PDB file of all heavy atoms in Angstrom:
ATOM      1  N   THR A   1     -12.163 335.926 131.700  1.00 87.00           N
ATOM      2  CA  THR A   1     -13.517 335.373 131.892  1.00 87.00           C
ATOM      3  C   THR A   1     -13.477 333.841 132.112  1.00 87.00           C
ATOM      4  O   THR A   1     -14.450 333.276 132.589  1.00 87.00           O
ATOM      5  CB  THR A   1     -14.416 335.662 130.683  1.00 87.00           C
ATOM      6  OG1 THR A   1     -13.815 335.090 129.518  1.00 87.00           O
ATOM      7  CG2 THR A   1     -14.655 337.132 130.479  1.00 87.00           C
ATOM      8  N   LEU A   2     -12.361 333.235 131.777  1.00 88.00           N
ATOM      9  CA  LEU A   2     -12.308 331.784 131.877  1.00 88.00           C
ATOM     10  C   LEU A   2     -12.224 331.246 133.309  1.00 88.00           C
ATOM     11  O   LEU A   2     -12.573 330.103 133.559  1.00 88.00           O
ATOM     12  CB  LEU A   2     -11.110 331.247 131.049  1.00 88.00           C
ATOM     13  CG  LEU A   2     -11.275 331.430 129.553  1.00 88.00           C
ATOM     14  CD1 LEU A   2     -10.073 330.841 128.814  1.00 88.00           C
ATOM     15  CD2 LEU A   2     -12.552 330.771 129.078  1.00 88.00           C
ATOM     16  N   LYS A   3     -11.783 332.109 134.248  1.00 88.00           N
ATOM     17  CA  LYS A   3     -11.714 331.642 135.637  1.00 88.00           C
ATOM     18  C   LYS A   3     -13.119 331.283 136.128  1.00 88.00           C
ATOM     19  O   LYS A   3     -13.344 330.208 136.692  1.00 88.00           O
ATOM     20  CB  LYS A   3     -11.093 332.726 136.519  1.00 88.00           C
ATOM     21  CG  LYS A   3     -10.952 332.282 137.967  1.00 88.00           C
ATOM     22  CD  LYS A   3     -10.304 333.344 138.805  1.00 88.00           C
ATOM     23  CE  LYS A   3     -10.114 332.785 140.210  1.00 88.00           C
ATOM     24  NZ  LYS A   3     -10.326 333.734 141.248  1.00 88.00           N
ATOM     25  N   GLN A   4     -14.085 332.180 135.905  1.00 88.00           N
ATOM     26  CA  GLN A   4     -15.466 331.917 136.289  1.00 88.00           C
ATOM     27  C   GLN A   4     -16.017 330.731 135.532  1.00 88.00           C
ATOM     28  O   GLN A   4     -16.760 329.906 136.067  1.00 88.00           O
ATOM     29  CB  GLN A   4     -16.353 333.132 136.006  1.00 88.00           C
ATOM     30  CG  GLN A   4     -16.060 334.322 136.862  1.00 88.00           C
ATOM     31  CD  GLN A   4     -16.932 335.504 136.435  1.00 88.00           C
ATOM     32  OE1 GLN A   4     -17.989 335.338 135.824  1.00 88.00           O
ATOM     33  NE2 GLN A   4     -16.475 336.696 136.724  1.00 88.00           N
ATOM     34  N   TRP A   5     -15.666 330.636 134.253  1.00 89.00           N
ATOM     35  CA  TRP A   5     -16.156 329.548 133.418  1.00 89.00           C
ATOM     36  C   TRP A   5     -15.706 328.195 133.951  1.00 89.00           C
ATOM     37  O   TRP A   5     -16.496 327.247 134.041  1.00 89.00           O
ATOM     38  CB  TRP A   5     -15.687 329.749 131.967  1.00 89.00           C
ATOM     39  CG  TRP A   5     -16.090 328.636 131.073  1.00 89.00           C
ATOM     40  CD1 TRP A   5     -15.327 327.594 130.645  1.00 89.00           C
ATOM     41  CD2 TRP A   5     -17.383 328.421 130.527  1.00 89.00           C
ATOM     42  NE1 TRP A   5     -16.046 326.753 129.855  1.00 89.00           N
ATOM     43  CE2 TRP A   5     -17.344 327.246 129.761  1.00 89.00           C
ATOM     44  CE3 TRP A   5     -18.602 329.109 130.572  1.00 89.00           C
ATOM     45  CZ2 TRP A   5     -18.431 326.749 129.087  1.00 89.00           C
ATOM     46  CZ3 TRP A   5     -19.692 328.615 129.917  1.00 89.00           C
ATOM     47  CH2 TRP A   5     -19.593 327.432 129.175  1.00 89.00           C
ATOM     48  N   LYS A   6     -14.418 328.121 134.314  1.00 89.00           N
ATOM     49  CA  LYS A   6     -13.896 326.838 134.849  1.00 89.00           C
ATOM     50  C   LYS A   6     -14.575 326.455 136.137  1.00 89.00           C
ATOM     51  O   LYS A   6     -14.882 325.268 136.367  1.00 89.00           O
ATOM     52  CB  LYS A   6     -12.387 326.944 135.023  1.00 89.00           C
ATOM     53  CG  LYS A   6     -11.627 326.897 133.703  1.00 89.00           C
ATOM     54  CD  LYS A   6     -10.141 327.003 133.887  1.00 89.00           C
ATOM     55  CE  LYS A   6      -9.457 327.041 132.532  1.00 89.00           C
ATOM     56  NZ  LYS A   6      -8.020 327.260 132.630  1.00 89.00           N
ATOM     57  N   GLU A   7     -14.858 327.449 137.006  1.00 90.00           N
ATOM     58  CA  GLU A   7     -15.546 327.163 138.262  1.00 90.00           C
ATOM     59  C   GLU A   7     -16.947 326.600 138.001  1.00 90.00           C
ATOM     60  O   GLU A   7     -17.366 325.628 138.602  1.00 90.00           O
ATOM     61  CB  GLU A   7     -15.628 328.417 139.113  1.00 90.00           C
ATOM     62  CG  GLU A   7     -14.323 328.866 139.712  1.00 90.00           C
ATOM     63  CD  GLU A   7     -14.402 330.216 140.393  1.00 90.00           C
ATOM     64  OE1 GLU A   7     -15.518 330.768 140.541  1.00 90.00           O
ATOM     65  OE2 GLU A   7     -13.330 330.737 140.764  1.00 90.00           O
ATOM     66  N   LEU A   8     -17.646 327.245 137.056  1.00 90.00           N
ATOM     67  CA  LEU A   8     -19.006 326.798 136.734  1.00 90.00           C
ATOM     68  C   LEU A   8     -18.985 325.415 136.080  1.00 90.00           C
ATOM     69  O   LEU A   8     -19.849 324.582 136.338  1.00 90.00           O
ATOM     70  CB  LEU A   8     -19.675 327.794 135.790  1.00 90.00           C
ATOM     71  CG  LEU A   8     -20.213 329.045 136.470  1.00 90.00           C
ATOM     72  CD1 LEU A   8     -20.813 329.973 135.431  1.00 90.00           C
ATOM     73  CD2 LEU A   8     -21.267 328.701 137.504  1.00 90.00           C
ATOM     74  N   ASP A   9     -18.011 325.190 135.224  1.00 89.00           N
ATOM     75  CA  ASP A   9     -17.858 323.879 134.575  1.00 89.00           C
ATOM     76  C   ASP A   9     -17.716 322.811 135.643  1.00 89.00           C
ATOM     77  O   ASP A   9     -18.344 321.753 135.603  1.00 89.00           O
ATOM     78  CB  ASP A   9     -16.678 323.890 133.620  1.00 89.00           C
ATOM     79  CG  ASP A   9     -16.589 322.649 132.761  1.00 89.00           C
ATOM     80  OD1 ASP A   9     -17.531 321.852 132.722  1.00 89.00           O
ATOM     81  OD2 ASP A   9     -15.541 322.475 132.102  1.00 89.00           O
ATOM     82  N   GLY A  10     -16.913 323.101 136.644  1.00 91.00           N
ATOM     83  CA  GLY A  10     -16.718 322.149 137.754  1.00 91.00           C
ATOM     84  C   GLY A  10     -18.003 321.946 138.541  1.00 91.00           C
ATOM     85  O   GLY A  10     -18.348 320.803 138.911  1.00 91.00           O
ATOM     86  N   SER A  11     -18.736 323.018 138.808  1.00 92.00           N
ATOM     87  CA  SER A  11     -20.003 322.926 139.547  1.00 92.00           C
ATOM     88  C   SER A  11     -21.025 322.107 138.805  1.00 92.00           C
ATOM     89  O   SER A  11     -21.748 321.305 139.378  1.00 92.00           O
ATOM     90  CB  SER A  11     -20.556 324.326 139.809  1.00 92.00           C
ATOM     91  OG  SER A  11     -19.686 325.039 140.646  1.00 92.00           O
ATOM     92  N   ILE A  12     -21.084 322.284 137.496  1.00 93.00           N
ATOM     93  CA  ILE A  12     -22.040 321.514 136.692  1.00 93.00           C
ATOM     94  C   ILE A  12     -21.658 320.041 136.694  1.00 93.00           C
ATOM     95  O   ILE A  12     -22.513 319.173 136.806  1.00 93.00           O
ATOM     96  CB  ILE A  12     -22.094 322.059 135.259  1.00 93.00           C
ATOM     97  CG1 ILE A  12     -22.744 323.432 135.275  1.00 93.00           C
ATOM     98  CG2 ILE A  12     -22.854 321.126 134.326  1.00 93.00           C
ATOM     99  CD1 ILE A  12     -22.588 324.166 133.967  1.00 93.00           C
ATOM    100  N   THR A  13     -20.374 319.769 136.567  1.00 92.00           N
ATOM    101  CA  THR A  13     -19.920 318.366 136.585  1.00 92.00           C
ATOM    102  C   THR A  13     -20.294 317.733 137.932  1.00 92.00           C
ATOM    103  O   THR A  13     -20.781 316.578 137.933  1.00 92.00           O
ATOM    104  CB  THR A  13     -18.408 318.315 136.340  1.00 92.00           C
ATOM    105  OG1 THR A  13     -18.128 318.917 135.073  1.00 92.00           O
ATOM    106  CG2 THR A  13     -17.895 316.895 136.347  1.00 92.00           C
ATOM    107  N   ILE A  14     -20.095 318.433 139.009  1.00 93.00           N
ATOM    108  CA  ILE A  14     -20.442 317.902 140.339  1.00 93.00           C
ATOM    109  C   ILE A  14     -21.951 317.655 140.416  1.00 93.00           C
ATOM    110  O   ILE A  14     -22.395 316.600 140.887  1.00 93.00           O
ATOM    111  CB  ILE A  14     -19.965 318.847 141.456  1.00 93.00           C
ATOM    112  CG1 ILE A  14     -18.436 318.797 141.556  1.00 93.00           C
ATOM    113  CG2 ILE A  14     -20.604 318.484 142.800  1.00 93.00           C
ATOM    114  CD1 ILE A  14     -17.837 319.895 142.424  1.00 93.00           C
ATOM    115  N   ALA A  15     -22.742 318.614 139.998  1.00 93.00           N
ATOM    116  CA  ALA A  15     -24.213 318.466 140.026  1.00 93.00           C
ATOM    117  C   ALA A  15     -24.659 317.301 139.160  1.00 93.00           C
ATOM    118  O   ALA A  15     -25.579 316.543 139.559  1.00 93.00           O
ATOM    119  CB  ALA A  15     -24.891 319.759 139.593  1.00 93.00           C
ATOM    120  N   ALA A  16     -24.075 317.150 137.995  1.00 94.00           N
ATOM    121  CA  ALA A  16     -24.440 316.029 137.121  1.00 94.00           C
ATOM    122  C   ALA A  16     -24.051 314.695 137.751  1.00 94.00           C
ATOM    123  O   ALA A  16     -24.828 313.737 137.696  1.00 94.00           O
ATOM    124  CB  ALA A  16     -23.766 316.183 135.742  1.00 94.00           C
ATOM    125  N   ASN A  17     -22.878 314.637 138.343  1.00 95.00           N
ATOM    126  CA  ASN A  17     -22.437 313.387 139.001  1.00 95.00           C
ATOM    127  C   ASN A  17     -23.336 313.066 140.201  1.00 95.00           C
ATOM    128  O   ASN A  17     -23.665 311.904 140.430  1.00 95.00           O
ATOM    129  CB  ASN A  17     -20.982 313.528 139.461  1.00 95.00           C
ATOM    130  CG  ASN A  17     -20.017 313.477 138.302  1.00 95.00           C
ATOM    131  OD1 ASN A  17     -20.340 313.012 137.212  1.00 95.00           O
ATOM    132  ND2 ASN A  17     -18.826 313.986 138.528  1.00 95.00           N
ATOM    133  N   GLU A  18     -23.726 314.103 140.966  1.00 95.00           N
ATOM    134  CA  GLU A  18     -24.607 313.873 142.090  1.00 95.00           C
ATOM    135  C   GLU A  18     -25.967 313.291 141.622  1.00 95.00           C
ATOM    136  O   GLU A  18     -26.424 312.304 142.181  1.00 95.00           O
ATOM    137  CB  GLU A  18     -24.859 315.172 142.847  1.00 95.00           C
ATOM    138  CG  GLU A  18     -25.858 315.040 143.971  1.00 95.00           C
ATOM    139  CD  GLU A  18     -26.250 316.332 144.627  1.00 95.00           C
ATOM    140  OE1 GLU A  18     -26.153 317.397 143.992  1.00 95.00           O
ATOM    141  OE2 GLU A  18     -26.701 316.275 145.807  1.00 95.00           O
ATOM    142  N   ALA A  19     -26.533 313.908 140.616  1.00 95.00           N
ATOM    143  CA  ALA A  19     -27.832 313.430 140.109  1.00 95.00           C
ATOM    144  C   ALA A  19     -27.716 311.996 139.610  1.00 95.00           C
ATOM    145  O   ALA A  19     -28.573 311.155 139.905  1.00 95.00           O
ATOM    146  CB  ALA A  19     -28.345 314.357 139.035  1.00 95.00           C
ATOM    147  N   LYS A  20     -26.683 311.725 138.816  1.00 96.00           N
ATOM    148  CA  LYS A  20     -26.484 310.371 138.267  1.00 96.00           C
ATOM    149  C   LYS A  20     -26.307 309.357 139.398  1.00 96.00           C
ATOM    150  O   LYS A  20     -26.929 308.296 139.370  1.00 96.00           O
ATOM    151  CB  LYS A  20     -25.258 310.373 137.359  1.00 96.00           C
ATOM    152  CG  LYS A  20     -24.915 309.027 136.759  1.00 96.00           C
ATOM    153  CD  LYS A  20     -23.665 309.139 135.910  1.00 96.00           C
ATOM    154  CE  LYS A  20     -23.231 307.784 135.391  1.00 96.00           C
ATOM    155  NZ  LYS A  20     -21.997 307.837 134.665  1.00 96.00           N
ATOM    156  N   ASP A  21     -25.516 309.691 140.383  1.00 96.00           N
ATOM    157  CA  ASP A  21     -25.263 308.807 141.505  1.00 96.00           C
ATOM    158  C   ASP A  21     -26.554 308.571 142.302  1.00 96.00           C
ATOM    159  O   ASP A  21     -26.865 307.451 142.692  1.00 96.00           O
ATOM    160  CB  ASP A  21     -24.188 309.399 142.414  1.00 96.00           C
ATOM    161  CG  ASP A  21     -23.598 308.404 143.341  1.00 96.00           C
ATOM    162  OD1 ASP A  21     -22.939 307.448 142.862  1.00 96.00           O
ATOM    163  OD2 ASP A  21     -23.760 308.549 144.579  1.00 96.00           O
ATOM    164  N   ASN A  22     -27.316 309.642 142.564  1.00 95.00           N
ATOM    165  CA  ASN A  22     -28.535 309.513 143.318  1.00 95.00           C
ATOM    166  C   ASN A  22     -29.586 308.660 142.579  1.00 95.00           C
ATOM    167  O   ASN A  22     -30.251 307.843 143.212  1.00 95.00           O
ATOM    168  CB  ASN A  22     -29.123 310.870 143.661  1.00 95.00           C
ATOM    169  CG  ASN A  22     -28.277 311.608 144.706  1.00 95.00           C
ATOM    170  OD1 ASN A  22     -27.389 311.026 145.311  1.00 95.00           O
ATOM    171  ND2 ASN A  22     -28.552 312.885 144.880  1.00 95.00           N
ATOM    172  N   VAL A  23     -29.669 308.805 141.274  1.00 96.00           N
ATOM    173  CA  VAL A  23     -30.585 307.964 140.511  1.00 96.00           C
ATOM    174  C   VAL A  23     -30.157 306.510 140.627  1.00 96.00           C
ATOM    175  O   VAL A  23     -30.970 305.620 140.818  1.00 96.00           O
ATOM    176  CB  VAL A  23     -30.621 308.416 139.023  1.00 96.00           C
ATOM    177  CG1 VAL A  23     -31.290 307.364 138.135  1.00 96.00           C
ATOM    178  CG2 VAL A  23     -31.345 309.749 138.891  1.00 96.00           C
ATOM    179  N   ARG A  24     -28.863 306.264 140.515  1.00 95.00           N
ATOM    180  CA  ARG A  24     -28.357 304.880 140.613  1.00 95.00           C
ATOM    181  C   ARG A  24     -28.742 304.276 141.959  1.00 95.00           C
ATOM    182  O   ARG A  24     -29.209 303.130 142.023  1.00 95.00           O
ATOM    183  CB  ARG A  24     -26.838 304.897 140.426  1.00 95.00           C
ATOM    184  CG  ARG A  24     -26.212 303.518 140.395  1.00 95.00           C
ATOM    185  CD  ARG A  24     -24.752 303.577 139.974  1.00 95.00           C
ATOM    186  NE  ARG A  24     -23.942 304.452 140.779  1.00 95.00           N
ATOM    187  CZ  ARG A  24     -23.119 304.068 141.738  1.00 95.00           C
ATOM    188  NH1 ARG A  24     -22.984 302.791 142.002  1.00 95.00           N
ATOM    189  NH2 ARG A  24     -22.421 304.937 142.414  1.00 95.00           N
ATOM    190  N   TYR A  25     -28.552 305.003 143.014  1.00 94.00           N
ATOM    191  CA  TYR A  25     -28.875 304.481 144.350  1.00 94.00           C
ATOM    192  C   TYR A  25     -30.386 304.343 144.549  1.00 94.00           C
ATOM    193  O   TYR A  25     -30.844 303.370 145.132  1.00 94.00           O
ATOM    194  CB  TYR A  25     -28.294 305.361 145.454  1.00 94.00           C
ATOM    195  CG  TYR A  25     -26.842 305.056 145.686  1.00 94.00           C
ATOM    196  CD1 TYR A  25     -25.828 305.847 145.184  1.00 94.00           C
ATOM    197  CD2 TYR A  25     -26.452 303.932 146.440  1.00 94.00           C
ATOM    198  CE1 TYR A  25     -24.483 305.550 145.399  1.00 94.00           C
ATOM    199  CE2 TYR A  25     -25.123 303.639 146.667  1.00 94.00           C
ATOM    200  CZ  TYR A  25     -24.141 304.443 146.139  1.00 94.00           C
ATOM    201  OH  TYR A  25     -22.829 304.142 146.374  1.00 94.00           O
ATOM    202  N   LEU A  26     -31.155 305.303 144.072  1.00 93.00           N
ATOM    203  CA  LEU A  26     -32.614 305.246 144.243  1.00 93.00           C
ATOM    204  C   LEU A  26     -33.210 304.086 143.438  1.00 93.00           C
ATOM    205  O   LEU A  26     -34.239 303.534 143.827  1.00 93.00           O
ATOM    206  CB  LEU A  26     -33.258 306.553 143.873  1.00 93.00           C
ATOM    207  CG  LEU A  26     -33.037 307.688 144.886  1.00 93.00           C
ATOM    208  CD1 LEU A  26     -33.514 309.019 144.337  1.00 93.00           C
ATOM    209  CD2 LEU A  26     -33.694 307.370 146.209  1.00 93.00           C
ATOM    210  N   TYR A  27     -32.570 303.708 142.322  1.00 92.00           N
ATOM    211  CA  TYR A  27     -33.074 302.555 141.570  1.00 92.00           C
ATOM    212  C   TYR A  27     -33.057 301.279 142.419  1.00 92.00           C
ATOM    213  O   TYR A  27     -33.838 300.379 142.189  1.00 92.00           O
ATOM    214  CB  TYR A  27     -32.250 302.343 140.280  1.00 92.00           C
ATOM    215  CG  TYR A  27     -32.907 302.901 139.066  1.00 92.00           C
ATOM    216  CD1 TYR A  27     -32.262 303.859 138.298  1.00 92.00           C
ATOM    217  CD2 TYR A  27     -34.175 302.505 138.652  1.00 92.00           C
ATOM    218  CE1 TYR A  27     -32.856 304.413 137.168  1.00 92.00           C
ATOM    219  CE2 TYR A  27     -34.803 303.057 137.549  1.00 92.00           C
ATOM    220  CZ  TYR A  27     -34.113 303.994 136.817  1.00 92.00           C
ATOM    221  OH  TYR A  27     -34.710 304.538 135.697  1.00 92.00           O
ATOM    222  N   THR A  28     -32.170 301.222 143.407  1.00 92.00           N
ATOM    223  CA  THR A  28     -32.151 300.039 144.277  1.00 92.00           C
ATOM    224  C   THR A  28     -33.413 299.968 145.136  1.00 92.00           C
ATOM    225  O   THR A  28     -33.760 298.914 145.637  1.00 92.00           O
ATOM    226  CB  THR A  28     -30.912 300.007 145.196  1.00 92.00           C
ATOM    227  OG1 THR A  28     -30.951 301.118 146.070  1.00 92.00           O
ATOM    228  CG2 THR A  28     -29.617 300.019 144.384  1.00 92.00           C
ATOM    229  N   LEU A  29     -34.096 301.102 145.268  1.00 90.00           N
ATOM    230  CA  LEU A  29     -35.346 301.119 146.057  1.00 90.00           C
ATOM    231  C   LEU A  29     -36.581 300.885 145.151  1.00 90.00           C
ATOM    232  O   LEU A  29     -37.671 300.632 145.669  1.00 90.00           O
ATOM    233  CB  LEU A  29     -35.542 302.477 146.760  1.00 90.00           C
ATOM    234  CG  LEU A  29     -34.548 302.803 147.854  1.00 90.00           C
ATOM    235  CD1 LEU A  29     -34.748 304.240 148.329  1.00 90.00           C
ATOM    236  CD2 LEU A  29     -34.705 301.843 149.003  1.00 90.00           C
ATOM    237  N   ASP A  30     -36.377 301.030 143.854  1.00 87.00           N
ATOM    238  CA  ASP A  30     -37.495 300.946 142.905  1.00 87.00           C
ATOM    239  C   ASP A  30     -38.333 299.693 143.069  1.00 87.00           C
ATOM    240  O   ASP A  30     -39.568 299.721 142.951  1.00 87.00           O
ATOM    241  CB  ASP A  30     -36.957 301.075 141.480  1.00 87.00           C
ATOM    242  CG  ASP A  30     -38.006 301.453 140.480  1.00 87.00           C
ATOM    243  OD1 ASP A  30     -38.883 302.296 140.842  1.00 87.00           O
ATOM    244  OD2 ASP A  30     -37.984 300.955 139.352  1.00 87.00           O
ATOM    245  N   LYS A  31     -37.728 298.576 143.365  1.00 86.00           N
ATOM    246  CA  LYS A  31     -38.434 297.324 143.503  1.00 86.00           C
ATOM    247  C   LYS A  31     -39.416 297.327 144.689  1.00 86.00           C
ATOM    248  O   LYS A  31     -40.303 296.531 144.740  1.00 86.00           O
ATOM    249  CB  LYS A  31     -37.453 296.161 143.632  1.00 86.00           C
ATOM    250  CG  LYS A  31     -36.595 296.196 144.871  1.00 86.00           C
ATOM    251  CD  LYS A  31     -35.587 295.045 144.897  1.00 86.00           C
ATOM    252  CE  LYS A  31     -34.608 295.268 146.032  1.00 86.00           C
ATOM    253  NZ  LYS A  31     -33.239 294.964 145.641  1.00 86.00           N
ATOM    254  N   PHE A  32     -39.217 298.263 145.631  1.00 86.00           N
ATOM    255  CA  PHE A  32     -40.120 298.362 146.782  1.00 86.00           C
ATOM    256  C   PHE A  32     -41.297 299.302 146.525  1.00 86.00           C
ATOM    257  O   PHE A  32     -42.308 299.227 147.221  1.00 86.00           O
ATOM    258  CB  PHE A  32     -39.358 298.876 148.013  1.00 86.00           C
ATOM    259  CG  PHE A  32     -38.248 297.967 148.448  1.00 86.00           C
ATOM    260  CD1 PHE A  32     -36.937 298.304 148.207  1.00 86.00           C
ATOM    261  CD2 PHE A  32     -38.515 296.764 149.095  1.00 86.00           C
ATOM    262  CE1 PHE A  32     -35.899 297.453 148.598  1.00 86.00           C
ATOM    263  CE2 PHE A  32     -37.488 295.904 149.479  1.00 86.00           C
ATOM    264  CZ  PHE A  32     -36.177 296.243 149.227  1.00 86.00           C
ATOM    265  N   PHE A  33     -41.142 300.185 145.561  1.00 82.00           N
ATOM    266  CA  PHE A  33     -42.158 301.233 145.362  1.00 82.00           C
ATOM    267  C   PHE A  33     -43.511 300.633 144.954  1.00 82.00           C
ATOM    268  O   PHE A  33     -44.550 301.040 145.440  1.00 82.00           O
ATOM    269  CB  PHE A  33     -41.714 302.286 144.341  1.00 82.00           C
ATOM    270  CG  PHE A  33     -40.525 303.097 144.767  1.00 82.00           C
ATOM    271  CD1 PHE A  33     -39.836 303.851 143.851  1.00 82.00           C
ATOM    272  CD2 PHE A  33     -40.091 303.103 146.077  1.00 82.00           C
ATOM    273  CE1 PHE A  33     -38.742 304.624 144.228  1.00 82.00           C
ATOM    274  CE2 PHE A  33     -38.995 303.855 146.485  1.00 82.00           C
ATOM    275  CZ  PHE A  33     -38.328 304.620 145.553  1.00 82.00           C
ATOM    276  N   GLY A  34     -43.490 299.660 144.026  1.00 79.00           N
ATOM    277  CA  GLY A  34     -44.721 299.006 143.604  1.00 79.00           C
ATOM    278  C   GLY A  34     -45.420 298.291 144.732  1.00 79.00           C
ATOM    279  O   GLY A  34     -46.604 298.589 145.020  1.00 79.00           O
ATOM    280  N   PRO A  35     -44.760 297.369 145.410  1.00 76.00           N
ATOM    281  CA  PRO A  35     -45.386 296.673 146.539  1.00 76.00           C
ATOM    282  C   PRO A  35     -45.853 297.660 147.638  1.00 76.00           C
ATOM    283  O   PRO A  35     -46.898 297.455 148.242  1.00 76.00           O
ATOM    284  CB  PRO A  35     -44.292 295.755 147.063  1.00 76.00           C
ATOM    285  CG  PRO A  35     -43.419 295.514 145.903  1.00 76.00           C
ATOM    286  CD  PRO A  35     -43.437 296.771 145.107  1.00 76.00           C
ATOM    287  N   LEU A  36     -45.109 298.700 147.852  1.00 77.00           N
ATOM    288  CA  LEU A  36     -45.461 299.669 148.882  1.00 77.00           C
ATOM    289  C   LEU A  36     -46.764 300.404 148.496  1.00 77.00           C
ATOM    290  O   LEU A  36     -47.604 300.671 149.352  1.00 77.00           O
ATOM    291  CB  LEU A  36     -44.330 300.682 149.048  1.00 77.00           C
ATOM    292  CG  LEU A  36     -44.299 301.500 150.339  1.00 77.00           C
ATOM    293  CD1 LEU A  36     -44.234 300.607 151.561  1.00 77.00           C
ATOM    294  CD2 LEU A  36     -43.110 302.441 150.311  1.00 77.00           C
ATOM    295  N   ALA A  37     -46.934 300.671 147.212  1.00 77.00           N
ATOM    296  CA  ALA A  37     -48.111 301.389 146.753  1.00 77.00           C
ATOM    297  C   ALA A  37     -49.325 300.480 146.591  1.00 77.00           C
ATOM    298  O   ALA A  37     -50.472 300.916 146.740  1.00 77.00           O
ATOM    299  CB  ALA A  37     -47.820 302.072 145.418  1.00 77.00           C
ATOM    300  N   ASN A  38     -49.119 299.212 146.293  1.00 74.00           N
ATOM    301  CA  ASN A  38     -50.218 298.315 145.948  1.00 74.00           C
ATOM    302  C   ASN A  38     -50.526 297.260 147.031  1.00 74.00           C
ATOM    303  O   ASN A  38     -51.458 296.468 146.845  1.00 74.00           O
ATOM    304  CB  ASN A  38     -49.923 297.622 144.629  1.00 74.00           C
ATOM    305  CG  ASN A  38     -49.730 298.618 143.511  1.00 74.00           C
ATOM    306  OD1 ASN A  38     -50.470 299.582 143.423  1.00 74.00           O
ATOM    307  ND2 ASN A  38     -48.752 298.398 142.683  1.00 74.00           N
ATOM    308  N   ALA A  39     -49.751 297.225 148.084  1.00 67.00           N
ATOM    309  CA  ALA A  39     -49.957 296.196 149.119  1.00 67.00           C
ATOM    310  C   ALA A  39     -51.128 296.553 150.015  1.00 67.00           C
ATOM    311  O   ALA A  39     -51.599 297.691 150.037  1.00 67.00           O
ATOM    312  CB  ALA A  39     -48.681 296.054 149.944  1.00 67.00           C
ATOM    313  N   SER A  40     -51.556 295.605 150.765  1.00 71.00           N
ATOM    314  CA  SER A  40     -52.531 295.889 151.818  1.00 71.00           C
ATOM    315  C   SER A  40     -51.749 296.509 152.983  1.00 71.00           C
ATOM    316  O   SER A  40     -50.517 296.509 152.979  1.00 71.00           O
ATOM    317  CB  SER A  40     -53.191 294.571 152.285  1.00 71.00           C
ATOM    318  OG  SER A  40     -52.241 293.816 153.008  1.00 71.00           O
TER     319      SER A  40
END
């Protein structure tokens, strides 16, 4: 049963890394969100 477990463990690690990385990159856009929403 550990073969499937190891594959899933890897998939979860990849998904967690993707989410963390995407949040880090999207934070660079955060400073634009306020002006974009509140500007004329």
Side-chain angles (χ1 to χ4, degrees):
T1 59
L2 292 181
K3 183 179 184 217
Q4 292 177 24
W5 177 260
K6 286 179 183 174
E7 288 172 9
L8 283 177
D9 189 11
S11 296
I12 291 167
T13 301
I14 289 168
N17 288 340
E18 175 187 24
K20 180 181 174 184
D21 197 66
N22 289 349
V23 166
R24 184 170 55 101
Y25 279 101
L26 287 171
Y27 262 121
T28 64
L29 294 174
D30 199 38
K31 64 183 171 222
F32 298 105
F33 295 166
L36 198 59
N38 301 318
S40 71

